[in-house]
Amino acid sequence: MSSLKIKSLVMALAAGSTAIMVSACGANSSDDSLRTPTGYYDHAEAKEGSDPLKVPAGITPPYTDKTFDIPFVSPSEKSRQMIGENMDIRPPVVSQVAESGVDIVRKDENAVVWFLPSNQFNIRDEHLAWSYLTEALKYMKIPVAATNEARYELTTGSSRFNAFGEPYDEVSDSVLAESFNQVYQIKVGHAQQGQIGYFIALKSSTSSETAIEPTLVHKANFTSGFANALIKTMSIQNMANEVIPDYVEVVLGRDNNDQDALIVNAGYNSTWNVMRGTLDSYGMKVEEYSISRSTYKVEISEEDPEFYRSQGVEPFGLPEGTYIVRLAVSGDNTVITFYNEDDKPITAAQTARLYPGFSRAITQQFAVYKREGANYLAKFDK
């Protein structure tokens, strides 16, 4: 099979350039104010104008400090469409995945993912990179429209994404975030030094709110965000080098927001995977999950106490309803916090009632997960 030579990107890799690619989105929600760093809309009334300083003939122009001058750019019909309320001044999307041994760099409006020698996936050739790619797209539920396995190239089918290149999920929908129907092309190749990489290009993008064609800046944010989402998904799926404690312990504690939470002495990736089985096996129906936000949305139906005891755990003690389960990293541990359907943390008393049964359920599922390995998640694939 032939390999794609991404020659034009060698200099970026050699320079060790790190992506200027973290999503500007909020941790748990999104709204229109995210289009500006401040949340205010003073720019909405902006108009194109001329230099107000007029120097009469024969008078020497006054000294001005040009240190912070913005280079002149000739306006075009397209740029005139982007002023006022159409102005998009979000910060650029930047990389969130350096801990994976991955470097994401920009190449014009495209993104390139480089797997460094220390990458946690142990990707050393195109074939393995291709396998990881196709499995990650399945997990993200992104269809593939066309493939060329001989050249390690694929084109996705049209899917919905949010403004940060992440698959559009229920959280995005609940806040009426702008959506984009997009198609991406991904090529697997290597640099002259041998590093394996993904070259990601945005082939088409149609907004749900505006017909304005995306600029190069927008395209760069989309491809960078998509690269982030792709590597996050691969990290969640990767179990080859996981070290799962022989005895998984769950204790009560506090998360970084000082909310009552359950703390698991296991890594994030394995805990995320085990949570899928724990929720599904103990009466919590998974309605939606978001990889980028590390959340599960579940529906709890009232169960007879014997339902739990027959599985070796105490009843969870949560009222019937909808809950959001959020995971976070805390050193070598993983923190699990429960929220109600209004995204408010459950009370300390509710967390205390949940703890005996739910902590036991987690430890039981970790034992199954360690035994079954990669086959564990296949049971919940829909």
Side-chain angles (χ1 to χ4, degrees):
M1 298 183 190
S2 62
S3 301
L4 170 67
K5 300 286 187 179
I6 314 180
K7 295 181 180 178
S8 60
L9 304 174
V10 172
M11 291 186 64
L13 178 64
S17 57
T18 302
I20 302 179
M21 300 183 217
V22 178
S23 169
C25 63
N28 308 314
S29 63
S30 175
D31 58 47
D32 288 344
S33 66
L34 294 173
R35 298 178 70 84
T36 141
T38 63
Y40 297 99
Y41 293 91
D42 295 341
H43 65 278
E45 303 301 324
K47 306 293 183 183
E48 183 182 353
S50 58
D51 188 345
L53 180 63
K54 304 297 182 184
V55 181
I59 297 179
T60 302
Y63 169 79
T64 57
D65 184 354
K66 298 183 179 297
T67 304
F68 299 104
D69 276 10
I70 299 174
F72 176 76
V73 177
S74 298
S76 65
E77 192 58 38
K78 176 181 287 188
S79 68
R80 288 189 172 95
Q81 294 175 352
M82 301 305 294
I83 68 172
E85 63 182 10
N86 291 324
M87 185 183 299
D88 189 345
I89 56 174
R90 288 171 297 185
V93 175
V94 299
S95 174
Q96 293 178 311
V97 293
E99 69 274 8
S100 302
V102 174
D103 192 17
I104 302 178
V105 297
R106 292 187 183 215
K107 179 59 179 177
D108 299 323
E109 72 269 29
N110 306 310
V112 186
V113 177
W114 290 114
F115 294 97
L116 306 179
S118 60
N119 76 86
Q120 71 174 34
F121 311 106
N122 199 31
I123 290 177
R124 297 289 186 270
D125 57 52
E126 284 95 335
H127 180 71
L128 187 56
W130 178 263
S131 298
Y132 266 98
L133 172 63
T134 54
E135 288 302 314
L137 292 176
K138 287 180 184 177
Y139 192 86
M140 297 166 74
K141 299 182 180 179
I142 296 175
V144 175
T147 61
N148 185 332
E149 293 192 32
R151 294 175 57 85
Y152 294 120
E153 298 177 3
L154 67 78
T155 303
T156 69
S158 181
S159 298
R160 293 179 75 200
F161 293 84
N162 63 22
F164 310 104
E166 303 164 339
Y168 201 86
D169 57 18
E170 190 171 278
V171 176
S172 301
D173 188 56
S174 67
V175 297
L176 303 179
E178 186 176 7
S179 69
F180 301 82
N181 289 321
Q182 296 180 333
V183 172
Y184 288 88
Q185 183 183 64
I186 309 169
K187 302 178 182 180
V188 181
H190 65 262
Q192 289 182 343
Q193 297 94 331
Q195 288 87 349
I196 304 300
Y198 295 146
F199 185 88
I200 301 173
L202 179 67
K203 304 305 292 183
S204 66
S205 178
T206 305
S207 169
S208 63
E209 297 182 7
T210 176
I212 295 176
E213 188 73 17
T215 65
L216 294 183
V217 173
H218 295 142
K219 291 179 180 179
N221 277 344
F222 286 135
T223 55
S224 300
F226 181 81
N228 277 335
L230 183 64
I231 298 304
K232 284 181 183 178
T233 301
M234 290 172 57
S235 296
I236 290 173
Q237 289 185 299
N238 181 43
M239 296 183 291
N241 297 320
E242 284 183 332
V243 178
I244 303 173
D246 291 329
Y247 175 70
V248 175
E249 183 180 18
V250 184
V251 299
L252 283 173
R254 311 281 283 185
D255 64 15
N256 291 335
N257 296 316
D258 203 30
Q259 307 294 346
D260 293 279
L262 283 68
I263 302 176
V264 185
N265 70 323
Y268 174 85
N269 289 347
S270 55
T271 304
W272 171 271
N273 291 336
V274 166
M275 280 297 296
R276 183 69 175 90
T278 303
L279 298 170
D280 193 86
S281 301
Y282 297 89
M284 297 184 173
K285 183 182 177 182
V286 177
E287 299 286 350
E288 187 78 18
Y289 64 85
S290 171
I291 296 169
S292 61
R293 294 178 174 84
S294 298
T295 58
Y296 284 101
K297 182 178 180 181
V298 299
E299 187 71 29
I300 298 180
S301 300
E302 186 175 356
E303 299 282 0
D304 187 278
E306 289 306 313
F307 165 78
Y308 298 99
R309 296 190 177 109
S310 66
Q311 300 191 67
V313 302
E314 288 299 311
F316 295 162
L318 288 180
E320 190 174 51
T322 301
Y323 293 85
I324 297 171
V325 186
R326 186 166 287 115
L327 278 66
V329 176
S330 178
D332 294 331
N333 300 324
T334 304
V335 180
I336 303 172
T337 311
F338 275 73
Y339 295 76
N340 61 24
E341 63 181 331
D342 296 322
D343 209 11
K344 303 295 183 183
I346 64 175
T347 66
Q350 288 176 317
T351 304
R353 286 196 298 270
L354 170 71
Y355 170 72
F358 197 74
S359 61
R360 177 61 179 166
I362 290 175
T363 57
Q364 289 184 168
Q365 286 299 304
F366 257 105
V368 178
Y369 175 70
K370 191 167 185 176
R371 183 173 65 248
E372 296 183 355
N375 294 325
Y376 182 83
L377 287 180
K379 298 182 296 185
F380 312 107
D381 188 28
K382 296 182 180 179

